[in-house]
Amino acid sequence: MRATLLQIDVDPKESVAERRVRAAELVRAQAGADLVVLPELWPVGAFAAGAFAAEAEPVEGGPTAEAMAAAARDAGVWLHAGSVVERDPDGPLFNTSLVFSPDGELHAGYRKIHRFGFDSGEAALMAAGHEVVTARHPAAVLGLATCYDLRFPELFRLLVDAGAEILVIPAGWPARRLAHWRLLVQARAVESQAYVVACGTAGTHAGVAQAGHSMVVDPWGEILAEAGPDEQVLTVDLDPGRVAATRAEFPVLRDRVLGVPLP
Ligand SMILES: O=C(O)CCC(=O)C(=O)O
C-alpha cells in the first residue's frame, strides 16, 4: 500500500483560492498512490484564527470539498484531504477532516474533538466534535484524528477498539514543539500497534513557524519516512498485514485491564 503525504507550505502570500488549486494539482499528480494525505487546515492555516470565519465553508458543496472530490476522482486515489474550517448549516464552526474515495464521493468526515488554544484561537472559535471516526479503505481501517488530538491517548484507544489499523493525523504543528510531535507520533504507533501517517504543514503563517516533519511510523514504532521542514511530497510503502502480525507476536493490547470490559 503506497501512501503519499503532501506537506504543503501555508504561505500568507498565496491566497486560499490559489492554494486550493495548487493542492488539487498536487493530488492529481499522485495517480497510482493508494492513499494521499493533506495536512490540517491547509487552505487557511491552522493558526490564522482571524480568517477562520471568513474562510469557513460547508462540507456539502464547499469549495475545498468540491476541489478535493474532483482531484481524488481525476487521480483515482483515496484522499484524506486534511481539514477545513467547516461552517455547519446550524451555525457553529468545526475543524473537519474529509476522506474521499477514488470516485470522488465523500466517504468520511471527522470533526476534531480536542481543540487547541487554551480558550483562544480554535478553542474559542470552533465547536468540538464528539464522534470517534474510522474510514474503511480497501487495504485497512483508517482511524481519524487531528493535530492536538495527538496529545490525548484515550482517543487512540477508542480508535483501536473501533478497528483502526492506520491512524491518519493531519496537523499544523508548530516548529517550537517539534520534539513533542516526533515523540507523540511514535508513541501513538507503539501503544496502538498501528501505523501512524502524520502529515503537517510547512512555512510560517500568523507568525507561527510550522514544524513540517511529516512522518510515517510502523506498528513497531520505527520511523519509515520523515520529511524535512519545507514543502515536500513524502511517499512510503506500508504493509497493513504488519498490524495484525505485530499485535499477534507481541500481544500487549490483549493485556489491557482498565477501560475494557472485565472478563
Ligand atoms: O499540541 C500542540 O503543541 C500543537 C497543536 C496544534 O497546533 C493544533 O492542534 O492545531
Side-chain angles (χ1 to χ4, degrees):
M1 174 184 185
R2 177 154 296 181
T4 297
L5 290 66
L6 304 177
Q7 178 175 288
I8 201 162
D9 188 325
V10 178
D11 184 331
K13 291 200 280 296
E14 181 180 48
S15 73
V16 169
E18 286 166 342
R19 190 155 39 253
R20 209 176 270 130
V21 170
R22 200 163 65 79
E25 284 313 309
L26 273 170
V27 172
R28 283 191 176 89
Q30 310 311 322
D34 297 297
L35 177 65
V36 177
V37 183
L38 276 158
E40 179 190 32
L41 296 180
W42 57 267
V44 59
F47 285 87
F52 285 172
E55 296 296 344
E57 46 186 298
V59 166
E60 197 66 40
T64 302
E66 295 275 286
M68 293 298 110
R73 196 170 47 240
D74 292 348
V77 295
W78 281 84
L79 172 64
H80 185 310
S83 69
V84 299
V85 181
E86 177 196 357
R87 184 178 293 286
D88 185 75
D90 293 335
L93 305 183
F94 293 94
N95 184 339
T96 303
S97 293
L98 305 172
V99 178
F100 295 92
S101 52
D103 55 6
E105 290 301 313
L106 182 64
H107 178 80
Y110 164 66
R111 288 172 165 171
K112 186 179 182 183
I113 292 175
H114 303 95
R115 295 158 301 157
F116 184 63
F118 309 115
D119 305 324
S120 69
E122 173 184 63
L125 298 170
M126 297 202 199
H130 296 289
E131 234 184 290
V132 174
V133 178
T134 58
R136 183 67 252 197
H137 183 284
V141 178
L142 310 182
L144 307 189
T146 306
C147 202
Y148 189 48
D149 282 333
L150 196 52
R151 294 187 182 273
F152 299 87
E154 58 273 28
L155 170 61
F156 294 87
R157 281 297 192 230
L158 295 174
L159 286 167
V160 166
D161 288 343
E165 299 166 301
I166 301 178
L167 301 161
V168 186
I169 311 176
W173 201 273
R176 182 155 175 261
R177 294 186 290 282
L178 172 60
H180 297 193
W181 164 257
R182 298 186 75 252
L183 193 63
L184 290 166
V185 168
Q186 277 188 282
R188 295 296 84 90
V190 171
E191 78 190 0
S192 307
Q193 301 188 295
Y195 282 98
V196 177
V197 173
C199 183
T201 47
T204 296
H205 66 270
V208 181
Q210 296 292 290
H213 282 265
S214 296
M215 291 168 74
V216 178
V217 180
D218 77 7
W220 194 250
E222 304 280 356
I223 299 171
L224 299 184
E226 180 170 358
D230 300 326
E231 178 156 317
Q232 193 172 330
V233 175
L234 189 70
T235 295
V236 63
D237 288 325
L238 315 181
D239 172 8
R242 286 217 45 223
V243 175
T246 305
R247 291 175 182 176
E249 275 162 31
F250 193 67
V252 181
L253 292 171
R254 201 190 61 192
D255 282 346
R256 290 166 63 195
V257 175
L258 304 177
V260 292
L262 289 172

